[in-house]
Amino acid sequence: MRGEALSEPEGPAERVRPARLLAGVAVAVAAYAAAGWLDFDVADPGRARRAIAITALVATYWLSGALPLGAASLLPLALFPLLAVQPMAGVARGYSDPILWLFFGGFVLARAIERFALHRRIALRVIGAVGLAPRRLVLGFLAAAAVISMWISNTATTLMLMPIGVAVVDRVHADGVLDARHARRFAVALLLGIAYGSTIGGIGTPIGSPTNLVFFGAEVYGGLVADGAPEVSFVQWLLAFAPLSLVVAVFVWLLLTRVLFPLPARTDDEAAAMLRAELAALGPMRPAERRVLALFGATALLWITRGGIGPLPGWVELVGLPRDSVPDGAIAVFMAVLAFVIPSGAGDGSALMDWRTASRIPWDMFFLLAGGFAIAQTLDASGASVAFARSLAPAVRSLDPVLALGLVVLSVTLLSEVATNVAIASLMMPVLLATARAAEVDPRVLLLPATVAASFGFAMPIATPPNTVIFATGRLTLRDMVSAGLVLDFACAAILVAFCFAWAFPVLGIGFGEVPAWFR
């Protein structure tokens, strides 16, 4: 998933930043004034302008770090009611969206995987299976990151692979396995491969990135499903976008190892020996690891088969329940609770999970998602989304479909370089939904590519937590990341647009020029 550390290291106390707090207020005032130029088709435009101002304030605090992320994400819950934008009961619905419980349950399961080092074993086996030459090592780390981040946090994936990657990089440098020039290229390519693989994998499943969860929220596509839109099931998303993860991963690997940081193809015996030693040190799989793996596998199986596969009905229908009566969040929470019940097999009476471990899920990301949902719902209810959409709708309606979608995708991709992808998705989804209505196109044409594009952002250390984690190792420079990342931003935006028209839209039954009956 984009953006969540499973635990936060202790550090110095968070500082009060008066200048940044005041800057947020100034941005909010400027946004309120600028919103006066918008054409509001509502009875109370002042309410919509206040919604925009509060959104600008929260977004500024998200970007600047004026407040801790979780604290800034609680501001909508207070300010929307205080400034008569939305009653608190309405705002609170965003903080109880069912998608949040999918997030919660998934992270508890991820904590169980991490608790018994199962993630480390999986990563090492994937790497060993790929091969141990310099280019293959980069591919191994990138593939391991992509596969694991399809199911757990991309930040957690990066954090678990980063120490192994740094150890390999340092060993290669210390032992002179490669000459100095190739050793440095290897270091940069391998570490960027971990960061980029963690980001790429998250787009392949609905639970792989919080931006995907924003799409499924009740204030975005979830609301359209309630109005009759077809559900995008776990399997449909997997079929539509997992191939994109594969295509982008291969492209990134080739770009890193053949173009940006060319590497030799010969076998690296020192790195090979270290990885084998690392895997051997883990010993045989313990009972707790086997049980966590079984629980996680059962959860993934329940997610995948809930809505059926092809002509086969899902298990929900087979037990006689309505198809949409058991959301993925309920499955995640139930399986997470089971982790507190299933014995670990360690002989001390412990379970696979305890509350002390589970409570260290990234609550700041939980509240960031919740605040994003509340903002999206309020912008829509106040009429602000429609006003924004009117400025974008003419371009979407008049441009060639490929160019129109390219404009949306590239805009979201570049915005994700300077803001958290969850914030970008939360802010853009209601605008694009209203744009689709004004431009008279299927909303999925804009929402789905924008959701995926919000997970991109390869150039800046602040763009994604994986970038931040890797940059903090000190093994690469800002120039390394920016030069590689900007190429990927534009290339991946183009790949995404082409892929949507060639594969994802046909798989999901979406036509650009068609307005479905449920959206009229």
Side-chain angles (χ1 to χ4, degrees):
M1 307 180 191
R2 173 193 201 272
E4 322 79 25
L6 292 184
S7 60
E8 295 184 12
E10 292 186 5
E14 293 172 336
R15 297 169 52 196
V16 178
R17 303 179 184 274
R20 298 184 185 183
L21 292 170
L22 290 174
V25 174
V27 170
V29 171
Y32 181 85
W37 294 91
L38 294 175
D39 180 17
F40 294 103
D41 187 21
V42 290
D44 185 5
R47 176 189 173 211
R49 292 174 65 186
R50 292 194 298 275
I52 292 170
I54 293 169
T55 300
L57 176 72
V58 175
T60 302
Y61 287 169
W62 279 340
L63 293 172
S64 67
L67 287 174
L69 198 61
S73 300
L74 291 172
L75 282 174
L77 191 61
L79 295 182
F80 283 142
L82 286 173
L83 296 180
V85 175
Q86 183 88 320
M88 190 168 186
V91 181
R93 282 197 292 271
Y95 290 80
S96 59
D97 192 288
I99 295 298
L100 293 171
W101 299 105
L102 173 60
F103 179 91
F104 173 84
F107 265 93
V108 171
L109 292 174
R111 289 294 303 176
I113 291 172
E114 184 190 53
R115 186 184 187 197
F116 297 104
L118 177 61
H119 59 305
R120 194 176 188 86
R121 187 185 299 275
I122 294 171
L124 286 171
R125 288 200 177 277
V126 170
I127 292 164
V130 170
L132 298 166
R135 291 177 187 171
R136 285 193 171 188
L137 269 174
V138 174
L139 177 61
F141 276 92
L142 194 154
V147 170
I148 296 171
S149 68
M150 292 177 75
W151 308 102
I152 67 173
S153 153
N154 62 2
T155 307
T157 300
T158 308
L159 288 170
M160 76 185 188
L161 288 175
M162 180 268 291
I164 307 172
V166 169
V168 171
V169 164
D170 288 348
R171 184 64 173 270
V172 167
H173 177 74
D175 293 349
V177 177
L178 297 173
D179 62 62
R181 182 183 61 171
H182 283 121
R184 188 182 184 284
R185 288 179 181 175
F186 174 71
V188 175
L190 188 143
L191 293 175
L192 286 180
I194 293 174
Y196 295 162
S198 298
T199 296
I200 292 162
I203 67 180
T205 65
I207 62 168
S209 170
T211 59
N212 300 351
L213 302 183
V214 172
F215 168 81
F216 285 101
E219 303 307 325
V220 188
Y221 196 69
L224 295 178
V225 171
D227 292 336
E231 181 182 6
V232 179
S233 69
F234 194 101
V235 173
Q236 286 177 314
W237 185 285
L238 202 65
L239 290 173
F241 292 110
L244 176 63
S245 291
L246 176 62
V247 170
V248 174
V250 172
F251 174 79
V252 169
W253 172 62
L254 292 173
L255 190 70
L256 287 176
T257 60
R258 308 294 177 90
V259 180
L260 297 175
F261 310 102
L263 293 173
R266 69 183 180 84
T267 301
D268 185 345
D269 295 330
E270 295 292 336
M274 187 164 63
L275 286 175
R276 291 192 193 100
E278 187 83 29
L279 184 58
L282 292 176
M285 189 174 283
R286 295 168 293 166
E289 291 180 81
R290 289 194 293 268
R291 294 176 189 187
V292 170
L293 182 61
L295 183 65
F296 185 75
T299 305
L301 183 64
L302 289 174
W303 281 331
I304 291 170
T305 59
R306 177 180 67 89
I309 301 176
L312 300 177
W315 61 263
V316 172
E317 295 172 88
L318 291 177
V319 299
L321 296 174
R323 180 170 183 172
D324 299 328
S325 63
V326 184
D328 288 335
I331 297 170
V333 171
F334 179 74
M335 300 303 274
V337 172
L338 280 184
F340 292 91
V341 176
I342 299 173
S344 68
D348 57 2
S350 63
L352 294 177
M353 179 54 59
D354 58 48
W355 189 252
R356 177 179 296 179
T357 304
S359 66
R360 293 198 295 271
I361 73 167
W363 291 107
D364 57 345
M365 293 303 301
F366 187 92
F367 287 122
L368 176 61
L369 273 171
F373 288 145
I375 286 173
Q377 151 219 271
T378 302
L379 288 175
D380 189 50
S382 68
S385 295
V386 174
F388 280 123
R390 287 179 177 172
S391 64
L392 190 57
V396 173
R397 187 186 298 115
S398 61
L399 288 176
D400 175 84
V402 175
L403 292 177
L405 187 56
L407 174 66
V408 170
V409 165
L410 188 59
S411 298
V412 173
T413 298
L414 295 178
L415 282 171
S416 70
E417 291 289 358
V418 294
T420 63
N421 57 4
V422 179
I424 289 299
S426 299
L427 295 172
M428 289 298 295
M429 289 297 108
V431 174
L432 292 176
L433 185 60
T435 300
R437 193 175 297 280
E440 299 180 339
V441 298
D442 188 322
R444 295 172 294 179
V445 166
L446 301 182
L447 296 179
L448 284 168
T451 299
V452 174
S455 288
F456 294 161
F458 300 104
M460 296 296 293
I462 63 170
T464 66
N467 288 9
T468 305
V469 170
I470 291 304
F471 188 74
T473 65
R475 266 69 174 187
L476 68 163
T477 66
L478 181 61
R479 181 178 179 180
D480 292 328
M481 182 171 283
V482 171
S483 61
L486 285 177
V487 173
L488 286 176
D489 279 351
F490 286 90
C492 288
I495 291 172
L496 173 57
V497 172
F499 184 88
C500 284
F501 281 104
W503 177 262
F505 290 167
V507 166
L508 297 172
I510 300 171
F512 191 93
E514 304 170 7
V515 183
W518 45 264
F519 195 59
R520 291 172 184 162

